[in-house]
C-alpha cells in the first residue's frame, strides 16, 4: 500500500494480463501488486509475464508519468 510513497516507484495493482500490460504501457509501472486472495496462481503468472513483456508507450502517457515523478 505504501510503495508509491517511495521516490521513483510507480506501483500498479493488477488483476489480470490486461491490467498488468496497461500498467506498464500507460503508467510506466515499475512495481506490480498482485492480490493473492483475488486471483489464482495461473492468472498471477500470466499477469507477471504480460507486465514483464510490456514496455512504456510514452507519447500521450508521458505527461501523466512526468506528473507522478514530480510528486
Amino acid at each position: 500500500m505504501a510503495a508509491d510513497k517511495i521516490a521513483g516507484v510507480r506501483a500498479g495493482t493488477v488483476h489480470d494480463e490486461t491490467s498488468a500490460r496497461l500498467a506498464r504501457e500507460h503508467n510506466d509501472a515499475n512495481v506490480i501488486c498482485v492480490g493473492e486472495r483475488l486471483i489464482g496462481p495461473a492468472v498471477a503468472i500470466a499477469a507477471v509475464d504480460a507486465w514483464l513483456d510490456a514496455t512504456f508507450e510514452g507519447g500521450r502517457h508521458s505527461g501523466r508519468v512526468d506528473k507522478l515523478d514530480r510528486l
Side-chain angles (χ1 to χ4, degrees):
M1 296 292 297
D4 284 330
K5 297 198 181 281
I6 307 299
V9 171
R10 288 178 304 282
T13 301
V14 303
H15 304 287
D16 53 23
E17 288 178 67
T18 300
S19 60
R21 180 179 50 79
L22 292 174
R24 175 82 89 176
E25 290 177 351
H26 292 186
N27 297 319
D28 201 17
N30 52 19
V31 172
I32 59 170
C33 305
V34 181
E36 177 186 10
R37 289 195 244 172
L38 299 177
I39 63 175
V43 175
I45 290 168
V48 170
D49 287 341
W51 184 77
L52 289 171
D53 290 341
T55 57
F56 180 51
E57 290 180 351
R60 66 187 177 98
H61 307 294
S62 294
R64 179 183 328 110
V65 173
D66 291 342
K67 287 179 185 178
L68 291 170
D69 287 342
R70 288 193 302 268
L71 290 175

